[in-house]
Amino acid sequence: MSPSPLTDPEFLPFKLDLVGRRVLWLRLTAVQRREAAFLDDRALPANVDGGWLPLDTWLATPAAVASPAAAIFHIGHCGSTLLSRVLDAWPQVQGLREPLPLRTLAEAWPALAQPESRLSPDEAGRLLQAAWTRWSQPLPPATRSVVKATSSCNGLIAPLLESQPGMRAVLLDIPLRPYLATLLKSPGSVLDAASAAGERLRDLQARGIGEDLALHGLSLPQQCALGWLAERLRFDALAGGEHAARVLRVDFEALLAQPEATLHAIAAHFVLAPGGVPAALAAPAWGRYSKAQAHDYGRDDRAHDLALAAERHRDEIAQGVALVESLLQRHPALRAITG
C-alpha cells in the first residue's frame, strides 16, 4: 500500500469497521471506478492494493480542498444506476456508485444520540465530511464527481446539504404502480425494499401519518408501498425546504419519455456543459442492464417486463396501492405530494 493513502486520491475509503474503529483503503483506477455498478465487494479486482488504517488517523488528517461531489439519491429500483452511467458520458464526470462507507454511516446515523452508538454525533459529522471530501476528488481526466447513494442512505441527504454548502443533489423516484411492478418482478428487490420499511415507517409516524400501522400487520407489497410514500414525503420536504435550490426532483418515467429535456435539466442543475447532452443521449448504457453492462436491456425490454409484472402481480400491487390510498383519504393534503 502507498505510504499515504489518506492523501493519495487513487485510494478510496472502501469499508468502515465501526467496531474495530478502522477504515479499509483500496486503490481503484478511473476505469475500475467507471465499470463498478456498486463500490462494495463486487467491485474488488484481483490483487488490489490497499489495507486497513485507524479511523482516528483519518479523522486527524487535514482534508484536501475539493468542490463537493454532486449526488444522486433515490427510492431504490428506479433507474438510478442508469442515470449515473449516462452522466459518465460527460468527460469531466467520475461516477461513484453506492460507496459502502456511506451505507455504514446511514445505518449508524439514527442511533447517534443513543448510548449504544459507536460514534459520537461530532465524530459522525466529521467522518461524513471526510468521506464526502475524498469522494469529491476524481481521478484525471475527470474533474467532477457524482456519487450515487444506496437508497438506504436518504437519511443523510439533509446532513450532507447542511455540511456541504456547494453540494447539489438529484432526488430520483417513480410513480407507485411501476415502482411496485419493478420490485415484484424480482423477489430479491422486494426483500431489499421491505428491509428498509421499519425506518421508513418510523419516519412516517414522526410526521403524524400511519400511527396505527405495524410492520407485522402488513404484507410485503404493503411495506414496499409504505416505504415509497415515506420517501416521496421526504423528497417533497427537501424540495421545499431550506436547501431547495440545491435539490432537483426527477421522475424516472420522465427521463425515459423525455430524455433530452430531462438531461438538460440535470446538466443545468449539476452545472455540466449542455453540449454533453448529445453524447449522454447516445450512451451505450441506455441499451444495457445498468448493474451488469454485458447484458442487453433497453427501454422496450423494460416496458415489456413492467407490463408483464403488472399483470402477474396485479393483486399484490393492488394491496400496496390500497394502503397508500387509505392513508391519503385520512390525510388529503398528501395527494398533491404523491402525484
Side-chain angles (χ1 to χ4, degrees):
M1 182 168 62
S2 162
S4 57
L6 297 175
T7 56
D8 183 345
E10 290 192 351
F11 285 84
L12 288 177
F14 198 78
K15 286 185 182 180
L16 286 180
D17 173 7
L18 295 183
V19 176
R21 293 187 62 82
R22 58 182 186 159
V23 186
L24 178 63
W25 293 85
L26 298 181
R27 186 195 299 273
L28 294 177
T29 68
V31 171
Q32 289 166 337
R33 297 176 191 203
R34 179 177 291 266
E35 291 177 349
F38 307 94
L39 283 172
D40 59 17
D41 287 345
R42 289 167 285 189
L44 286 176
N47 303 315
V48 63
D49 184 15
W52 293 93
L53 290 175
L55 176 61
D56 293 338
T57 302
W58 185 20
L59 291 178
T61 302
V65 177
S67 177
I72 300 170
F73 291 98
H74 57 100
I75 63 171
H77 307 283
C78 65
S80 59
T81 305
L82 172 59
L83 175 57
S84 175
R85 290 197 183 278
V86 167
L87 291 178
D88 282 347
W90 271 267
Q92 68 266 43
V93 169
Q94 171 189 264
L96 297 175
R97 287 173 274 278
E98 305 203 12
L100 191 55
L102 193 65
R103 193 189 320 171
T104 303
L105 282 171
E107 291 169 355
W109 211 264
L112 291 180
Q114 304 302 318
E116 66 269 22
S117 176
R118 296 187 181 276
L119 293 171
S120 71
D122 176 69
E123 269 186 324
R126 290 190 291 124
L127 186 52
L128 182 61
Q129 172 80 23
W132 202 261
T133 298
R134 175 49 64 96
W135 295 323
S136 300
Q137 297 174 262
L139 297 180
T143 58
R144 298 278 309 281
S145 289
V146 178
V147 176
K148 186 200 86 108
T150 309
S151 59
S152 61
C153 296
N154 290 346
L156 295 179
I157 303 174
L160 277 167
L161 288 169
E162 187 66 32
S163 65
Q164 304 289 324
M167 188 191 90
R168 289 175 171 262
V170 158
L171 309 180
L172 183 68
D173 64 6
I174 193 171
L176 179 58
R177 286 182 180 275
Y179 175 68
L180 292 175
T182 300
L183 295 180
L184 288 162
K185 67 186 178 70
S186 171
S189 297
V190 172
L191 295 176
D192 178 59
S195 68
E199 185 271 332
R200 290 169 173 174
L201 177 57
R202 285 193 298 272
D203 191 62
L204 273 181
Q205 292 179 340
R207 300 176 190 271
I209 300 165
E211 301 96 323
D212 58 335
L213 297 178
L215 287 189
H216 60 75
L218 301 176
S219 67
L220 286 176
Q222 288 175 321
Q223 292 177 37
C224 294
L226 189 78
W228 174 89
L229 178 60
E231 293 304 330
R232 293 279 282 213
L233 295 180
R234 187 200 306 271
F235 286 2
D236 183 75
L238 289 163
E242 178 183 358
H243 306 294
R246 293 195 282 125
V247 300
L248 177 69
R249 298 288 302 275
V250 175
D251 185 326
F252 183 59
E253 298 284 278
L255 176 63
L256 292 178
Q258 300 174 309
E260 185 173 3
T262 306
L263 285 174
H264 270 292
I266 294 170
H269 184 65
F270 281 166
V271 198
L272 298 174
V277 170
L281 290 170
W286 293 104
R288 298 282 187 267
Y289 182 58
S290 297
K291 296 179 175 63
Q293 291 282 278
H295 300 287
D296 293 340
Y297 193 78
R299 279 171 270 201
D300 291 344
D301 298 307
R302 178 182 180 275
H304 174 268
D305 283 355
L306 277 184
L308 191 61
E311 178 61 29
R312 285 180 174 173
H313 302 286
R314 183 187 307 171
D315 292 344
E316 295 101 316
I317 292 171
Q319 290 176 25
V321 171
L323 175 65
V324 170
E325 180 61 30
S326 71
L327 293 172
L328 297 183
Q329 289 178 359
R330 290 155 59 180
H331 304 276
L334 299 183
R335 289 194 183 276
I337 296 171
T338 56

